[in-house]
Amino acid sequence: MRTSQDPHPRVRAAACTTLGQMATDFAPNFQKKFHETVIAALLRTMENQGNQRVQSHAASALVIFIEDCPRSLLILYLDGMVKNLHSILVIKLQELIRNGTKLALEQLVTTIASVADAIEENFVPYYDIFMPSLKHIVELAIQKELKLLKGKTIECISHVGLAVGKEKFMQDASNVMQLLLKTQSDLNNMEDDDPQSSYMVSAWARMCKILGSDFQQYLPLVIEPLIKTASAKPDVALLDTQDVENMSDDDGWQFVNLGDQQSFGIKTSGLEAKATACQMLVYYAKELREGFVEYTEQVVKLMVPLLKFYFHDNVRVAAAESMPFLLECAKIRGPEYLAQIWQFICDPLIKAIGTEPDIDVLSEIMNSFAKSIEVMGDGCLNDEHLEELGEILKAKLEGHFKNQELRQVKRQEENYDQQVEMSLQDEDECDVYILTKVSDILHSLFSTYNEKILPWFEQLLPLIVNLICSSRPWPDRQWGLCIFDDIIEHCSPTSFKYVEYFRWPMLLNMRDNNPEVRQAAAYGLGVMAQFGGDDYRSLCSEAVPLLVKVIKCANSKTKKNVIATENCISAVGKILRFKPNCVNVDEVLPHWLSWLPLHEDKEEALQTLNYLCDLIESNHPVVLGPNNSNLPKIISIIAEGKINETINSEDPCAKRLANVVRQVQTSEELWLECITALDDEQQEALQELLNFA
């Protein structure tokens, strides 16, 4: 810390760089332990007007420190830090006007953006002192050498606007949009590598997020340059070795040696801009929907070929990510237009699942396909598509098992050591990740086609059964069970034809050491009761003791186990609710009530609250207790549901629960007994529920 105030500017700059590196390497513990001294030291260094480069280093280090600093800690220094930054901004703005000096100012506006981004709505009180200066910089920065400053300041304004929200930003929205439009107009006549371009692309996206549907009027001005950048063809060259040596210093080229004295070169400088432009098109399609409809076909025809753009992974990711959002836009124009767009997308998207070489990109493509199926619905795949998809998924599953065998062989080799094991574990995680995406695709098919997809699925059945064998690693068993869960939930009562494949694995995995496996098994037992029909009665009867045993386990509510345990509680509730003939309801209900509320799994928590409403509305004597003695417990469960955000005021369950509370309020004595058992937070939650439901 002392060196950050050293008389020599190079020492101060090095100290700031070191602090920034430590903030990166040791985050967030470094921030939690040294927040007071580091923030104070960097602000003092920034205040020293003796050297612009040192100020820039200090401002850069502060950005890095803020990035991983808990918001609660930043708030402690907020007032002093923000006022300090503003006073420096005023001085640097004057220096820009008088001398044209810009180095520290370029970094300072980035720091202000980072602070606003980190503290969000807490920046509102300071908005009015910063925005005039930031707009003034944009107006002043018209010379070529100030382009980077202008781009960074526009970025800062958009971050500040996003932080404070639409209501506060609207006082400057029109003025800021005019500045952006003027800059965009100038950019359209500038070089492709203008440093403002990337900042403008991101700033427009943030403006879209701030303004929502009000942004639609500006879209025609933004979309044309975006499509131009996204459509740009990369510069490529096939050169001999001598030519490569001559070009090696040419910035922005990368070369791959092809042998025979030849190299393939690609100019990478434009690829990042292309990827960013593609990502922004995804963003506008997602956010504007109806406002984006007229560009749907043009963007689809741009994006689909980019699924094979192997020069840049993020371009392919954006292309894949765009598909379900573009289909949502097409849907607005009606079924015929939607079918037309899907016909253009479907075949290349399926083929990309089979050919994509990069794991991260492949996962995005598979995720996109699953979401697209859900948008399109039943019947969206013809026989040829289903046949090709079946072959691809079969190959993925077979490859999964083959890779596991190969890893086991490598563990027996002489050169096996800890480093090799770490590499093998990384490979295994990648394989499991793709397995989750196979599960996602099957989920989308089961949930849209229901039992009609089962004949097609049977080509994969032996592979899925293999996943849930007791000898398989636990992630295999988890995802194999999840696939059977989906079959039970969406394809019942026909699902019972497969019961002998999953009956014992589902019951036995309730005892598994891994909570993820127990959760998958418990969820399956719950949907069995809810959707399975009478065929599943005996299995539900067998399940109850196993579920209860997990719930009553001493460590069942630890952070590691709680989600699995809550799925068990929910499963017991579903059996009581949907299969009451296979369990002694009056005996189990008091236990089930004592296990509530659920906190972590919001979806299952809502299911339990709905069932609780059914029981209360039917005046179930076991739930209400003798002389309504269980009502204080029930009221506390409702309060906790509101605190945990399980209860959404728009959900029908909220109104039912509010009516329960109002009913209790009709008895002054009973209500007093209930309310005195609640703390202040619970009482406030109940009042909020009554106000909005």
Side-chain angles (χ1 to χ4, degrees), residues 269-282:
S269 55
L271 294 181
E272 282 299 331
K274 182 183 181 78
T276 303
C278 289
Q279 197 58 57
M280 291 305 103
L281 289 170
V282 175

Side-chain angles (χ1 to χ4, degrees), residues 485-558:
D485 291 350
D486 278 330
I487 293 172
I488 297 164
E489 183 170 357
H490 300 291
C491 306
S492 286
T494 313
S495 64
F496 192 74
K497 67 192 277 192
Y498 305 121
V499 71
E500 291 311 314
Y501 294 118
F502 59 76
R503 179 190 189 104
W504 290 113
M506 205 162 276
L507 292 172
L508 291 172
N509 279 304
M510 283 305 307
R511 304 170 188 167
D512 196 86
N513 290 329
N514 298 281
E516 295 88 348
V517 179
R518 295 199 303 276
Q519 179 188 357
Y523 183 82
L525 294 169
V527 293
M528 229 178 255
Q530 187 171 359
F531 301 104
D534 285 342
D535 289 333
Y536 284 102
R537 283 176 57 188
S538 65
L539 213 159
C540 289
S541 294
E542 290 179 72
V544 173
L546 296 171
L547 292 164
V548 171
K549 189 173 182 180
V550 173
I551 296 164
K552 289 187 171 182
C553 185
N555 62 350
S556 67
K557 292 295 182 74
T558 61

Side-chain angles (χ1 to χ4, degrees), residues 275-381:
T276 303
C278 289
Q279 197 58 57
M280 291 305 103
L281 289 170
V282 175
Y283 186 84
Y284 291 132
K286 178 184 176 183
E287 293 293 322
L288 295 176
R289 299 287 172 95
E290 287 187 21
F292 199 82
V293 169
E294 64 182 285
Y295 306 104
T296 302
E297 188 171 349
Q298 185 181 4
V299 175
V300 165
K301 288 181 177 177
L302 164 65
M303 289 295 201
V304 168
L306 293 180
L307 291 168
K308 296 189 287 187
F309 188 84
Y310 296 111
F311 299 121
H312 200 291
D313 291 350
N314 287 341
V315 171
R316 301 199 305 286
V317 166
E321 196 180 347
S322 70
M323 299 304 162
F325 299 123
L326 291 168
L327 289 169
E328 291 280 11
C329 293
K331 207 172 191 176
I332 294 166
R333 272 206 178 160
E336 283 186 24
Y337 185 67
L338 177 62
Q340 201 178 349
I341 296 295
W342 177 237
Q343 190 175 5
F344 192 78
I345 288 173
C346 183
D347 192 55
L349 195 55
I350 292 174
K351 282 182 166 54
I353 298 171
T355 58
E356 175 55 52
D358 184 89
I359 292 292
D360 292 328
V361 180
L362 174 60
S363 68
E364 286 296 334
I365 293 171
M366 295 175 80
N367 187 53
S368 169
F369 180 73
K371 288 182 175 177
S372 297
I373 294 294
E374 288 172 4
V375 173
M376 294 303 300
D378 186 5
C380 63
L381 299 174

Side-chain angles (χ1 to χ4, degrees), residues 87 98 105 110 145 154 177 182 195 209 264 357 361 379 390 404 408 445 464 503 528 570 572 586 596 604 648 681 686:
S87 64
R98 287 197 308 268
L105 189 54
T110 300
E145 61 271 18
I154 286 170
M177 293 306 288
K182 173 69 169 65
K209 191 163 188 177
F264 174 79
V361 180
Q404 284 181 341
Q408 286 304 105
L445 290 168
I464 306 304
R503 179 190 189 104
M528 229 178 255
S570 179
V572 171
D586 289 353
L596 302 185
E604 298 307 310
N648 184 321
E681 186 182 17
L686 280 183

Side-chain angles (χ1 to χ4, degrees), residues 5-39:
Q5 307 305 314
D6 192 274
H8 200 291
R10 287 188 180 177
V11 176
R12 296 200 302 277
C16 292
T17 302
T18 303
L19 287 171
Q21 190 63 53
M22 291 174 76
T24 299
D25 293 344
F26 304 113
N29 292 334
F30 183 75
Q31 283 85 341
K32 290 177 181 177
K33 194 169 183 180
F34 301 110
H35 49 87
E36 185 175 3
T37 48
V38 172
I39 290 174

Side-chain angles (χ1 to χ4, degrees), residues 581-619:
N581 295 332
C582 63
V583 64
N584 187 330
V585 175
D586 289 353
E587 183 184 326
V588 178
L589 260 181
H591 298 285
W592 179 79
L593 188 65
S594 72
W595 299 327
L596 302 185
L598 307 188
H599 292 94
E600 302 299 324
D601 193 319
K602 305 299 185 214
E603 191 174 328
E604 298 307 310
L606 189 59
Q607 292 255 17
T608 62
L609 288 174
N610 270 304
Y611 180 42
L612 184 61
C613 286
D614 290 348
L615 294 165
I616 296 166
E617 288 166 0
S618 65
N619 290 314

